[in-house]
Amino acid sequence: MTEATTDATEATTDAAGVTSDAAGVTTDVAGVTTDETPQARDDQQLGDAGSRLSTAPTEEPNLPALGVVGWVRWFWRQLTSMRVALLLLLLLSLGAIPGSLIPQTGVDPTQVELFRQKHETLAPVYDKLGLFNVYSSVWFSAIYILLFVSLIGCIVPRTWQFVGQLRSRPPGAPRRLTRLPAYTTWRTQTEPEQVREAALALMGRRRFRAHVSGDAVAAEKGYLRELGNLVFHVALIVMLIAFAWGQLFRYEGNKLILEGGGFSNTLTQYDDFKSGNLFAADDLDPFSFTLKDFNGTYEPTGPNRGTPRTFEAHLTYSEGAYGAEKTTTIKVNEPLEIDGSKIYLVSHGYAPILTVKDARGNVVMDHEAVPLLPQDAMVTSSGAVKVMDGYRNAKGEKEQLGFNAWFLPTYGGKGTTMVSQFPAPLNPMLALSAYHGDLGVDAGFPQSVYQLDKRNLEEFKDPDGELFKEQLAVGDTMTLPNGAGTVTFEGVTEWAGFQVTEQPASGWALAGSLAAILGLAASLFVQRRRVWVRAVRGADGVTVVEMAGLGRSESAKVPEELGDLAAVLYAQAPGAPDSEPADLDPESTAPESTDPQSTAPEPTGLESTAPEPTEPGTSEPGTRDTPGTHDTPDTHEAPDPHHHAAAPAERAEQK
């Protein structure tokens, strides 16, 4: 791969082999070399060494050729580019916002109808835009599908390319190592073969993939970066598939159960039910359970008085139609899992037990518990009591009774506000206001069991002509005006609210999110880099050692690592005591160099990266250790190789 096809994010001024004007190399708009000078061939060789540091697709700045095939190819390249994938991901996130702010037909159709009634002008616009069904709308599906295609079209070729890189060896050293951003050199009396053997062993201990290529050792490290990048994108696809699968086949239902009451997992048993577009009633897992007892405890004193300490629901349940009965306890955030369904404890409240008699003394409601809904943290509750069948008034006419109910688990006494003082039923009090007439339950329209429809109801009046109402303690009886009947407050029981959910592929979504985090961390914190060590015999018989490093992006880590490696290798191949700066030009000692420009002096500043080595000190040779261990360079008075491995920014200033 020439420098013209090198990934733009990887190329640096030094690494890409860009030549000066003096070299006589001309480039066109696309950056492709247009002459075939030896210097250009040198640059292309450096481009080969600097290529394949990532699997990012090559971008072609030119417009496609005329014709359908050219435009299709151009569109495909744009669609599978990373910036388009990020744009589609952003659009998908923005598109999900209306789904959380606007009522959705698949989630709560009642709220959608209320929205239509309140916003007669805006609702038709939302209908045309599909905002009442965001996740099944055409535009949201289009973004979703395009994101899938973009990610898959980007990942598949990059995966094959990465596999090819793993199977191949690191590229050989370029002709001019001085062009690389991190570089150092010295002369030694050690034989070139021994230097290369020591360098190969050193790279192996530092976990580089290394081999001898010609007169140099080529080593590469940091493949985990590209692997993490691929894992991140694959994990993103897994998360999207898991999310789509879960939304299509999920279901969620709520059920309020009184102590002693039971539940069977069928559609008719739920108080409310929501499901995905591909859900079928046959997908419900067969099970049933009974709420034996609910236990709730609260902080009795202190600043946290009334704060719940424990919420526990004791159940007996069975799996399947003829499963054995088992017992269990469900706590908050500790659901019961049966097959793929999870049963959560989500709410709790009280249900006053009432007995209602008509004007003739006939019992029309016998010790029936009426659940009320909590209104605050102290479980002050409200609701409605409806007597729909069997009641006759003083005239013997059939009617229906309705009561607005207000329940306080702990009543503070007369003169206090109608607010409970504590969540536990320490001093229960029930306040009722009475109505009679038609409750509207037979009109064919759904209505809440916790509210009265007063359009066809009349108030019972007290002697002052006001709405008839009374406060009842446990055991008290309220006598309705004009001998219309009685209501007795028999006691209190508790109820628990359960949510039954099944979210398919949730485990895959979790695994995908964890893999995405790990992959992203690897792609951000691991750097792909290469190191070359060339050892050749100079014209005077002294071995010239060159070391150079190249990373995917400019970073201080490559020069630092190269300096560390050079220090260890220098201890095994110490500098020659009679070396002179003029002899340090590697181009003058490279035996294979026939390029006329090879004898020309290096560009200004490159010579400053190779100061004259001095006599090594009394340091001991570097010791060999086991693979994977980190070598600590020995202290010596020879020139510090870190000095030669100049940072990219410094070399740019020198050039």
Side-chain angles (χ1 to χ4, degrees):
M1 183 182 293
T2 64
E3 66 176 320
T5 59
T6 303
D7 186 10
T9 61
E10 301 175 7
T12 61
T13 302
D14 292 324
V18 178
T19 59
S20 61
D21 294 338
V25 180
T26 60
T27 58
D28 59 11
V29 177
V32 181
T33 304
T34 57
D35 67 341
E36 293 295 332
T37 63
Q39 182 66 46
R41 288 193 298 271
D42 265 1
D43 295 337
Q44 291 177 350
Q45 292 175 359
L46 181 59
D48 292 338
S51 66
R52 294 185 290 119
L53 275 172
S54 80
T55 58
T58 303
E59 296 187 9
E60 295 182 1
N62 295 331
L63 292 176
L66 295 178
V68 177
V69 176
W71 282 105
V72 170
R73 182 185 178 191
W74 177 84
F75 177 79
W76 175 255
R77 287 185 176 274
Q78 299 303 313
L79 180 61
T80 56
S81 64
M82 188 56 59
R83 59 175 175 269
V84 172
L86 293 175
L87 178 61
L88 291 172
L89 188 60
L90 176 62
L91 291 177
L92 190 70
S93 303
L94 295 176
I97 294 177
S100 59
L101 299 179
I102 300 174
Q104 300 295 294
T105 302
V107 175
D108 195 344
T110 303
Q111 290 295 326
V112 174
E113 291 301 322
L114 291 175
F115 187 91
R116 294 180 190 275
Q117 296 174 7
K118 293 180 180 179
H119 306 85
E120 296 181 357
T121 304
L122 196 58
V125 178
Y126 282 8
D127 278 325
K128 292 181 180 180
L129 296 177
L131 296 182
F132 291 124
N133 297 278
V134 168
Y135 303 111
S136 59
S137 63
V138 175
W139 58 269
F140 191 86
S141 301
I143 297 174
Y144 206 87
I145 293 173
L146 286 175
L147 181 59
F148 266 109
V149 174
S150 177
L151 290 174
I152 294 174
C154 179
I155 289 173
V156 172
R158 293 184 69 165
T159 301
W160 286 115
Q161 186 176 351
F162 181 64
V163 172
Q165 292 179 10
L166 292 178
R167 297 180 62 182
S168 62
R169 290 184 173 185
R175 180 186 294 267
R176 294 172 178 255
L177 292 179
T178 55
R179 292 188 176 277
L180 298 182
Y183 173 81
T184 186
T185 183
W186 71 91
R187 288 157 50 88
T188 180
Q189 294 179 347
T190 307
E191 295 296 322
E193 294 79 7
Q194 296 178 353
V195 175
R196 290 193 287 268
E197 291 178 1
L200 185 64
L202 174 60
M203 297 304 171
R205 293 198 301 270
R206 296 299 178 89
R207 297 182 179 178
F208 280 82
R209 293 180 64 220
H211 70 106
V212 178
S213 176
D215 59 1
V217 173
E220 189 169 4
K221 190 177 184 181
Y223 293 91
L224 189 60
R225 178 191 181 96
E226 189 62 29
L227 179 61
N229 192 12
L230 295 175
V231 168
F232 171 77
H233 289 86
V234 172
L236 188 60
I237 292 180
V238 172
M239 291 172 60
L240 292 174
I241 294 176
F243 174 76
W245 189 271
Q247 290 298 314
L248 291 174
F249 292 94
R250 73 176 182 89
Y251 76 83
E252 175 185 307
N254 294 285
K255 180 64 177 179
L256 185 150
I257 303 177
L258 296 166
E259 288 182 326
F263 169 79
S264 180
N265 193 27
T266 59
L267 287 178
T268 57
Q269 290 280 299
Y270 285 97
D271 295 332
D272 61 82
F273 189 84
K274 307 169 188 175
S275 63
N277 294 334
L278 299 183
F279 171 82
D282 295 338
D283 296 333
L284 291 173
D285 298 318
F287 64 85
S288 60
F289 65 87
T290 300
L291 176 60
K292 295 173 55 180
D293 178 49
F294 179 87
N295 181 34
T297 60
Y298 311 88
E299 289 289 344
T301 58
N304 296 324
R305 182 176 182 271
T307 302
R309 299 177 62 182
T310 58
F311 274 168
E312 298 178 347
H314 305 285
L315 307 180
T316 59
Y317 71 98
S318 60
E319 303 180 34
Y322 306 101
E325 193 172 81
K326 306 175 185 177
T327 60
T328 188
T329 298
I330 299 180
K331 301 179 182 179
V332 178
N333 296 325
E334 296 183 16
L336 169 64
E337 186 169 359
I338 301 177
D339 292 335
S341 300
K342 292 183 178 181
I343 305 170
Y344 291 90
L345 175 63
V346 295
S347 58
H348 156 260
Y350 295 101
I353 301 174
L354 303 176
T355 297
V356 180
K357 297 180 181 179
D358 64 7
R360 300 180 179 180
N362 298 322
V363 176
V364 293
M365 179 184 286
D366 187 14
H367 288 78
E368 185 172 330
V370 181
L372 305 179
L373 298 180
Q375 303 297 316
D376 56 27
M378 295 300 171
V379 202
T380 302
S381 306
S382 66
V385 180
K386 300 181 181 181
V387 181
M388 295 176 287
D389 299 316
Y391 174 78
R392 291 180 181 272
N393 59 21
K395 298 179 181 180
E397 300 172 346
K398 288 185 177 181
E399 274 191 327
Q400 294 176 331
L401 296 179
F403 303 89
N404 274 331
W406 193 259
F407 177 74
L408 280 62
T410 301
Y411 179 45
K414 291 184 179 181
T416 62
T417 58
M418 291 292 291
V419 176
S420 178
Q421 306 298 312
F422 196 75
L426 304 180
N427 183 26
M429 188 274 288
L430 176 66
L432 297 175
S433 57
Y435 300 83
H436 65 99
D438 183 7
L439 294 172
V441 294
D442 300 323
F445 298 101
Q447 61 175 240
S448 172
V449 297
Y450 303 104
Q451 293 179 342
L452 289 179
D453 184 355
K454 302 177 184 178
R455 289 177 294 181
N456 298 315
L457 292 176
E458 297 182 10
E459 298 178 351
F460 281 105
K461 301 294 184 178
D462 61 14
D464 298 329
E466 301 293 335
L467 174 64
F468 181 77
K469 53 189 176 182
E470 281 192 13
Q471 296 179 1
L472 305 176
V474 175
D476 290 348
T477 298
M478 179 175 72
T479 301
L480 299 175
N482 303 321
T486 60
V487 180
T488 303
F489 181 21
E490 304 287 356
V492 180
T493 188
E494 298 184 74
W495 58 262
F498 296 91
Q499 184 178 83
V500 182
T501 65
E502 182 174 3
Q503 190 79 20
S506 58
W508 285 99
L510 177 60
S513 61
L514 294 177
I517 293 174
L518 294 177
L520 183 61
S523 63
L524 290 177
F525 297 110
V526 177
Q527 185 179 18
R528 185 92 169 264
R529 63 265 193 202
R530 291 170 180 163
V531 174
W532 292 276
V533 181
R534 173 175 286 148
V536 295
R537 192 180 302 280
D540 57 355
V542 179
T543 301
V544 178
V545 181
E546 289 183 282
M547 293 186 68
L550 177 65
R552 180 178 176 183
S553 58
E554 293 187 0
S555 171
K557 184 175 183 179
V558 174
E560 291 176 359
E561 187 172 32
L562 182 69
D564 187 19
L565 294 171
V568 177
L569 186 60
Y570 187 90
Q572 301 181 36
D578 57 347
S579 59
E580 297 181 1
D583 297 332
L584 293 181
D585 185 359
E587 300 300 328
S588 64
T589 61
E592 76 282 4
S593 176
T594 59
D595 188 352
Q597 298 185 14
S598 63
T599 59
E602 289 294 322
T604 303
L606 290 179
E607 296 179 354
S608 63
T609 63
E612 177 182 356
T614 58
E615 180 68 20
T618 58
S619 61
E620 297 180 0
T623 58
R624 295 180 178 268
D625 52 9
T626 58
T629 59
H630 182 77
D631 295 325
T632 302
D634 297 325
T635 304
H636 51 79
E637 297 180 359
D640 185 2
H642 289 74
H643 175 73
H644 303 287
E650 297 174 357
R651 292 182 55 82
E653 293 177 0
Q654 294 167 356
K655 291 184 181 181

